[in-house]
Amino acid sequence: MIAPPKPDLVTVNIDGREIAVPKGTNVIEAARLVNVDVPHYCYHPKLTIVGNCRMCLIEMGMPAVDPATKAPIIDPVTGKPKINWIPRPQIGCGTNVSPGLHVKTTSPMVKDAREGVMEFLLINHPLDCPICDQAGECKLQEQSTGYGRGYSRFVEQKNVKPKRTQLGPRVTLDDERCILCSRCIRFSKEIAKDDVLGFVDRGSYSTLTCFPGKQLANNYSLNTVDICPVGALTSTDFRFKMRVWFLKQTNSIDTETSVGANTVVWSREGQIYRLTPRRNDDVNDTWMPDSGRELFKAVMAADRLVATTHLDALVAQAAELFKMNASAGAIAVVGSGRSSVEEQFLTKKLAAALKASTQLVSRVGQGDQLLISADRNPNVRGALVTGLISKLPKVGDATPLSRSTKGAVAAPIRTGGLTDLAASIDAGKVKVVVSIGEDLIAAGLTAAQLANVSVVYLGTHANATSAAAKIVFPTLSVFEKNGTFVNQQFRLQKFAKAVPGPQGATDDLIVLAKLTAAASSAPMASDLGSLWTLISAEVPAFAMTSYAQVPETGLLIDATPFAALPFVEGETLHFKPAAAAVALDS
Amino acid sequence: MAAPAQRRIIFQHIDEPGYSNDLACYVRNGGYEVLKKSVTRPPAELIDEVKKSGLRGRGGAGFPCGVKWGLVDRKSGKPIYLIVNADESEPGTFKDRYIMHQDPHQLIEGTMISCFANNVKQAYIYIRGEMPHGARILERAIAEARAAGFVGKNICGTTYSCDIFVHRGAGAYICGEETGLIESLEGKRANPRIKPPYFPAVLGLYQCPTIVNNVETLCHVKYIVEHGGDAFTKVGTPNNTGTRIFCVSGHVQRPGYYEFEAGKITMGQLLYEVCGGPLPGRTFKAVIPGGSSAKILRFGERFKGKRKVGAEMVDYDWGVEDVPMDFDSLGMIGTMGGSGGVIVMDDTVNMVEALANINAFYSHESCGQCTPCREGSLWMKKITTRMVHGQARNEDAALLKSVADQIPGRTICAFGEACSWPTQSFIAKFGDEFKQYPETKKAAKPVGAHELV
């Protein structure tokens, strides 16, 4: 017996173990809490329940009650309450816990039901695992090994269905592998709100397809590939590229917007093959946008900046430049909302040492109320919290439109926020601009303005600013370094280094630390451990934190000092703007 | 013992010379009098009559109609819908079609009474897609009834209003499953819903409480309200009240539809006396008593056990011929009264081939939503088709049984049972025939045997 549960908890018995779970939990999730695996295909925690795969059939029962006295009947043999077992197996996904519910997941009835369902699922499945992309992460493989009979009694012809339907620009469908679980249909309808998928034909000949004249082209289409329990829906990009078991998984963050969707980077031998979402129920559930999955391609781009000069020589050149412009206000630092918290902290330190003004480049686009927010910088709030900036960057108004690189939605993004800097340059006050990865031309400065100043550029890719810059420090992309971002919820989230950077590129932290040291003539730490000692000492919101303590699902920090700021974001999946906010994308 | 006479309650006017399906003829024969009286009575009283009558649903499951009405969530504040299930598609069943074709106003009157009793403001008749003629007749009949004030606004001059729409089905057997029907009526694929939570009485059409009743059941409601629930219990036998319509097809002299008091006639009386026995020179071999999904009975097998007669338990020892045709007796011997479709097979029928035919139907009609039925029905069909048209193996019978055993009780709807019971029962009753089929195939077919397509 366990202690009486709290009112909102119900006690259930799973394979003889009692557990108190919140009301409304289904049996699959309840079993998960006691480490009992209930195999399933169609059930997905973030989608509606249809109960069609029948893999989660388990035995259930309720304590017998004396009809007269309403008292539980005690089995005289065991001395325990007698359980009235339901004679037929029930689906775990569609059954919510009720007080006293008893569940058996290992009984002969359950074993038989699972073997039956597994056999049925496999008879018309092509069993082409050797050439299937899903192999290695296939529920059908795992569960047929775990719960199947291990031999086939099927001697008939298998059903023939389309083998390579292009459902949309990024998703390829093999209908023969499909087990008709309808997860993709439900996702498109319920989450992506783009109801384009459905079954045609009946019975075992049912075939997944797009509605006539429609395509699975929305910016979330690749999530259907993630949730497909088998190899039916495959990513056209990743298809046939790499075996998943060779890939290393590294936790990362989607940097395309301030939502900060949690991701996993799949890489092998220094090369990234794909990005997939990582479950975070408070941020992105189990989803991520297609556009964010293509960001890794920039890592291998031909226009990556690499240095031919030694880093220390470059730092010496910069120190020289700083020394020549030592008067207050002669140097301006353009920080970035794409930099990590640590980089922004060091940027602030650098600006202070240089007695420089600081500004941030704003990027504002259209939000989609799901996982793309209007603020296309992943870490504007980090800049606020670290004190790099004290007010939000101005939204680019008179700035030219730039297009997001190769993303699925090429919606215009307004880049700007440098009008004050432009004025200072025109007034002849600013002589040196240090840009942390920001293309100043794209952010609204003219080539003529740029020609009037000496630019020190830290960045990953060649652009107009790097071309015009006096000194260029090639740095690392988000996939090549460690750090943290603060997303729109003021959630501090970690990302980790998945692959090494190219030869001749240096971690931004090292560059910034060396520049700061050169400017202030005092050493500056560049490793995360030491930096965080500084950060937690100096930044009130991070006072109780260290890098190591940030959990993989992030850490909410105090947002009250910034509550009144007019953030540009509208509502997204797990974010509601404060009432004062100006929602540009509503 | 001689067979009792037919007791035509529902089929009173079917095939009656001079009887037409228009309103004038119906009213001339006393039509809509029950509705006129009913709308002056308290609705709860009407529900009570139906509860007292013990009326069991005629769609196949035999679920008590009064209990079904009692389950309806009346406190939700949502509208209550009534759906007439006219998607009659069970092979061997052809009773509702005759009601709709020849006596549509009987159905409309029964429907309106049921609507009034349950405070329904909107009723739908979901008619099978392959019955366009019936749909046209019903639409005309509803228009007539609406013009006469029996349907629509202010029924019979009262403040009660209720309309009926005819909705033509999408041409699938599964549309007859009540939650599949509801999905189809909502304009979706007829994929049956999971229960719980989607019990029609609580979360039915448009997530509102919904009553789904068979055509014949609603016609019985009209009779019950007219004569009273107690009077209805005197028809038929206890717990199997009222009449049953038997649609006899197959190898008998006089196939057709016959209405008898439930449980008052035996299978033998029905087949030998009413239907004239087997065709000349043939003998009965098997009979499916309640639509093709019911388990088959083999002539010559005996059923023994105890049954309740009045208050006592008495032994019974029946052959197929001795079985009273009612829900309980047929249930006791392991089959079911179902929809009343009696399919008779004589000695020219090879059971493997008959099963191949049934399996082809069920594999074609599985909606494909849940795994055991979707894959199992087609697998069984592939096996029996191969046995008939290709290579039959000695182990196929055991395999068929094993596949069939993996389906029932594990599916979303009762289709799992419907598609597996034929195979289970054919193998159980005619297992030898399946084992011998590889040899049977080599021999010449008996004279008169049907060519399978």
Side-chain angles (χ1 to χ4, degrees):
Chain A
M1 283 297 284
I2 60 168
K6 291 177 206 153
D8 56 340
L9 294 178
V10 284
T11 304
V12 293
N13 183 306
I14 296 168
D15 288 342
R17 273 185 288 175
E18 304 248 325
I19 181 171
V21 296
K23 246 185 199 164
T25 311
N26 71 15
V27 175
I28 291 183
E29 296 296 340
R32 221 194 282 272
L33 296 174
V34 285
N35 289 325
V36 170
D37 176 39
V38 179
H40 55 88
Y41 295 103
C42 69
Y43 168 70
H44 187 281
K46 302 294 175 188
L47 299 174
T48 54
I49 287 164
V50 289
N52 64 27
C53 75
R54 316 309 282 181
M55 192 63 197
C56 66
L57 287 171
I58 38 183
E59 220 177 325
M60 296 184 196
M62 295 296 286
V65 174
D66 190 302
T69 60
K70 306 278 179 217
I73 300 172
I74 303 296
D75 190 328
V77 182
T78 60
K80 288 179 180 164
K82 185 170 172 277
I83 305 300
N84 282 338
W85 294 100
I86 306 172
R88 296 160 143 209
Q90 305 290 312
I91 48 173
C93 66
T95 311
N96 284 348
V97 291
S98 49
L101 178 74
H102 278 60
V103 173
K104 279 197 265 190
T105 71
T106 52
S107 63
M109 185 210 275
V110 176
K111 183 170 180 288
D112 188 48
R114 287 174 179 171
E115 285 176 353
V117 171
M118 270 320 306
E119 180 175 43
F120 283 141
L121 285 173
L122 291 175
I123 57 171
N124 280 303
H125 188 82
L127 302 176
D128 54 352
C129 310
I131 58 152
C132 177
D133 279 297
Q134 192 80 1
E137 53 180 7
C138 176
K139 291 278 168 212
L140 211 51
Q141 281 185 331
E142 291 166 13
Q143 291 175 13
S144 68
T145 308
Y147 307 103
R149 287 204 186 94
Y151 57 88
S152 175
R153 305 185 288 169
F154 188 76
V155 296
E156 325 300 332
Q157 290 280 325
K158 285 178 190 268
N159 293 344
V160 176
K161 292 182 187 176
K163 284 299 277 183
R164 55 190 76 80
T165 310
Q166 197 67 39
L167 285 186
R170 292 174 293 283
V171 180
T172 308
L173 166 67
D174 184 329
D175 261 310
E176 287 186 346
R177 294 176 186 158
C178 175
I179 57 163
L180 306 168
C181 72
S182 81
R183 274 181 173 189
C184 52
I185 297 177
R186 283 175 280 149
F187 172 82
S188 302
K189 198 171 171 172
E190 296 161 13
I191 309 293
K193 308 271 192 274
D194 183 31
D195 193 4
V196 294
L197 293 177
F199 292 129
V200 291
D201 291 339
R202 275 204 311 244
S204 189
Y205 298 109
S206 297
T207 304
L208 178 69
T209 187
C210 274
F211 296 158
K214 296 279 172 95
Q215 268 203 322
L216 180 63
N218 66 63
N219 194 29
Y220 294 89
S221 66
L222 283 169
N223 289 292
T224 60
V225 175
D226 298 331
I227 57 175
C228 182
V230 297
L233 292 166
T234 52
S235 158
T236 308
D237 180 51
F238 180 67
R239 201 168 146 90
F240 304 135
K241 291 265 171 67
M242 183 49 69
R243 282 305 193 186
V244 292
W245 55 80
F246 290 134
L247 295 174
K248 180 182 77 165
Q249 298 172 47
T250 311
N251 288 351
S252 190
I253 301 292
D254 180 10
T255 55
E256 60 183 334
T257 78
S258 62
V259 170
N262 293 201
T263 62
V264 176
V265 182
W266 299 71
S267 63
R268 183 190 184 193
E269 295 181 357
Q271 191 179 339
I272 301 173
Y273 286 87
R274 66 171 181 182
L275 301 182
T276 57
R278 173 162 52 95
R279 181 170 176 175
N280 187 334
D281 289 346
D282 297 319
V283 179
N284 57 314
D285 287 350
T286 55
W287 323 120
M288 77 176 285
D290 290 2
S291 43
R293 298 175 196 247
E294 305 205 340
L295 297 180
F296 75 89
K297 294 193 172 169
V299 170
M300 305 292 277
D303 59 350
R304 267 309 282 272
L305 293 173
V306 285
T308 45
T309 317
H310 193 272
L311 176 66
D312 289 339
L314 288 172
V315 172
Q317 285 176 33
E320 194 62 29
L321 189 64
F322 294 156
K323 207 173 284 173
M324 280 159 30
N325 296 280
S327 60
I331 303 179
V333 171
V334 178
S336 177
R338 291 167 160 181
S339 295
S340 69
V341 167
E342 301 77 14
E343 289 160 13
Q344 289 169 338
F345 179 76
L346 279 183
T347 307
K348 189 187 101 174
K349 289 275 172 207
L350 174 64
L354 297 173
K355 298 193 277 297
S357 65
T358 54
Q359 39 262 304
L360 209 68
V361 173
S362 66
R363 275 186 192 77
V364 177
Q366 185 78 33
D368 67 358
Q369 305 190 337
L370 197 50
L371 293 177
I372 300 280
S373 64
D375 186 353
R376 299 303 169 89
N377 277 325
N379 200 22
V380 168
R381 285 165 177 78
L384 288 166
V385 174
T386 51
L388 175 61
I389 52 171
S390 54
K391 57 181 195 294
L392 287 171
K394 284 183 191 153
V395 175
D397 35 20
T399 52
L401 296 180
S402 67
R403 297 206 158 251
S404 66
T405 49
K406 288 174 199 151
V409 250
I413 296 170
R414 290 188 286 173
T415 311
L418 299 183
T419 44
D420 292 347
L421 177 61
S424 305
I425 293 172
D426 290 342
K429 280 194 267 179
V430 171
K431 301 289 183 201
V432 176
V433 178
V434 181
S435 172
I436 317 295
E438 294 290 4
D439 183 354
L440 302 172
I441 301 285
L445 296 191
T446 62
Q449 285 165 339
L450 224 52
N452 285 336
V453 293
S454 301
V455 176
V456 177
Y457 182 70
L458 283 73
T460 53
H461 289 76
N463 54 30
T465 306
S466 72
K470 190 159 185 186
I471 306 166
V472 174
F473 290 95
T475 55
L476 299 180
S477 72
V478 69
F479 305 105
E480 297 155 340
K481 60 192 180 187
N482 297 303
T484 53
F485 291 131
V486 179
N487 82 348
Q488 57 183 356
Q489 307 159 323
F490 282 91
R491 179 182 298 275
L492 182 67
Q493 304 195 107
K494 278 202 282 203
F495 61 89
K497 175 179 174 171
V499 291
Q503 183 93 46
T506 315
D507 193 324
D508 305 59
L509 290 177
I510 294 173
V511 177
L512 287 165
K514 281 185 186 271
L515 287 177
T516 310
S520 63
S521 311
M524 174 56 72
S526 65
D527 64 295
L528 286 175
S530 322
L531 261 181
W532 267 92
T533 316
L534 277 180
I535 292 173
S536 54
E538 291 185 27
V539 181
F542 297 140
M544 300 303 287
T545 318
S546 73
Y547 182 76
Q549 283 172 347
V550 180
E552 290 302 332
T553 50
L555 183 73
L556 276 179
I557 59 171
D558 181 21
T560 41
F562 314 100
L565 290 176
F567 291 107
V568 296
E569 290 104 329
E571 191 174 337
T572 55
L573 185 61
H574 287 291
F575 173 76
K576 277 197 195 330
V582 186
L584 287 189
D585 52 345
S586 55
Chain B
M1 196 175 76
Q6 283 200 62
R7 171 91 184 255
R8 286 201 167 197
I9 290 175
I10 307 300
F11 270 21
Q12 192 184 353
H13 298 297
I14 303 295
D15 291 345
E16 183 181 307
Y19 191 85
S20 55
N21 58 20
D22 54 281
L23 180 68
C25 177
Y26 187 67
V27 170
R28 208 162 48 237
N29 285 277
Y32 289 111
E33 289 304 318
V34 189
L35 176 62
K36 282 182 202 164
K37 283 196 200 99
S38 300
V39 293
T40 62
R41 296 170 67 179
E45 200 178 295
L46 303 179
I47 296 178
D48 270 352
E49 294 290 356
V50 173
K51 281 185 179 161
K52 264 192 284 181
S53 74
L55 172 65
R56 293 173 69 166
R58 297 302 201 248
F63 191 77
C65 182
V67 176
K68 196 180 231 181
W69 289 8
L71 294 172
V72 172
D73 177 7
R74 296 171 201 278
K75 290 180 186 140
S76 65
K78 297 183 197 167
I80 300 169
Y81 292 106
L82 185 137
I83 302 173
V84 183
N85 188 344
D87 191 74
E88 184 181 56
S89 345
E90 182 73 22
T93 314
F94 42 89
K95 58 189 179 61
D96 299 342
R97 175 187 350 202
Y98 283 95
I99 298 170
M100 292 184 286
H101 279 198
Q102 298 191 20
D103 206 0
H105 285 287
Q106 184 187 192
L107 170 62
I108 294 168
E109 186 172 6
T111 305
M112 292 313 297
I113 294 166
S114 307
C115 286
F116 178 75
N118 290 291
N119 192 26
V120 172
K121 301 287 162 59
Q122 179 63 61
Y124 295 90
I125 300 178
Y126 187 99
I127 184 167
R128 185 177 171 188
E130 290 89 336
M131 294 182 183
H133 187 51
R136 277 193 291 273
I137 291 170
L138 278 173
E139 271 171 1
R140 203 196 63 209
I142 290 169
E144 285 179 328
R146 195 180 285 125
F150 299 127
V151 172
K153 284 220 160 70
N154 302 102
I155 286 157
C156 303
T158 62
T159 55
Y160 175 68
S161 301
C162 175
D163 215 329
I164 306 181
F165 286 139
V166 176
H167 182 96
R168 283 189 59 195
Y173 173 80
I174 198 64
C175 294
E177 199 279 342
E178 60 181 359
T179 55
L181 186 156
I182 288 169
E183 285 279 297
S184 174
L185 191 54
E186 288 182 3
K188 305 177 202 153
R189 260 174 89 96
N191 284 350
R193 297 173 175 172
I194 48 171
K195 290 149 274 184
Y198 299 109
F199 291 108
V202 183
L203 295 170
L205 185 63
Y206 308 122
Q207 301 299 312
C208 296
T210 304
I211 301 165
V212 184
N213 279 142
N214 173 261
V215 169
E216 189 192 336
T217 311
L218 290 170
C219 294
H220 278 296
V221 169
K222 186 211 130 190
Y223 181 88
I224 290 162
V225 171
E226 182 179 5
H227 297 276
D230 289 330
F232 191 79
T233 57
K234 306 237 163 42
V235 184
T237 49
N239 205 35
N240 293 275
T241 52
T243 59
R244 288 231 65 184
I245 299 166
F246 301 109
C247 313
V248 185
S249 62
H251 299 145
V252 289
Q253 301 263 12
R254 290 189 294 276
Y257 39 81
Y258 303 96
E259 186 172 353
F260 288 96
E261 290 188 36
K264 293 281 177 73
I265 186 168
T266 63
M267 179 72 88
Q269 289 169 330
L270 179 67
L271 298 188
Y272 285 103
E273 294 169 40
V274 180
C275 297
L279 297 171
R282 314 262 189 95
T283 50
F284 287 144
K285 183 177 187 177
V287 59
I288 302 174
S292 64
S293 59
K295 290 190 174 177
I296 197 166
L297 302 174
R298 179 171 59 86
F299 281 86
E301 64 179 323
R302 305 295 299 179
F303 309 100
K304 291 176 190 169
K306 279 187 185 297
R307 66 183 185 126
K308 211 173 171 185
V309 175
E312 305 171 48
M313 300 298 286
V314 295
D315 289 317
Y316 66 87
D317 179 8
W318 288 333
V320 173
E321 297 85 346
D322 308 320
V323 180
M325 297 294 281
D326 61 62
F327 288 113
D328 291 344
S329 302
L330 288 166
M332 272 189 300
I333 61 165
T335 180
M336 64 173 183
S339 57
V342 180
I343 303 170
V344 188
M345 298 175 214
D346 67 19
D347 52 352
T348 62
V349 175
N350 182 289
M351 287 310 178
V352 182
E353 294 165 2
L355 182 64
N357 200 344
I358 292 175
N359 282 349
F361 173 80
Y362 284 107
S363 69
H364 184 255
E365 295 298 341
S366 167
C367 79
Q369 187 184 201
C370 68
T371 310
C373 154
R374 173 183 76 225
E375 301 297 341
S377 63
L378 185 66
W379 191 2
M380 293 190 296
K381 182 239 175 180
K382 282 177 173 173
I383 294 170
T384 46
T385 306
R386 171 175 53 75
M387 289 178 78
V388 172
H389 295 288
Q391 173 106 41
R393 306 178 306 169
N394 291 323
E395 63 265 42
D396 284 333
L399 177 59
L400 268 174
K401 180 182 181 303
S402 169
V403 173
D405 288 347
Q406 291 184 166
I407 305 171
R410 300 173 186 182
T411 53
I412 291 176
C413 75
F415 194 103
E417 283 76 20
C419 74
S420 54
W421 281 351
T423 299
Q424 287 180 329
S425 61
F426 272 62
I427 304 275
K429 308 269 172 90
F430 299 95
D432 292 346
E433 213 166 305
F434 281 78
K435 289 197 187 99
Q436 286 157 13
Y437 193 67
E439 277 67 49
T440 315
K441 271 183 77 170
K442 293 173 194 152
K445 296 211 165 187
V447 181
H450 295 273
E451 269 307 311
L452 280 175
V453 283

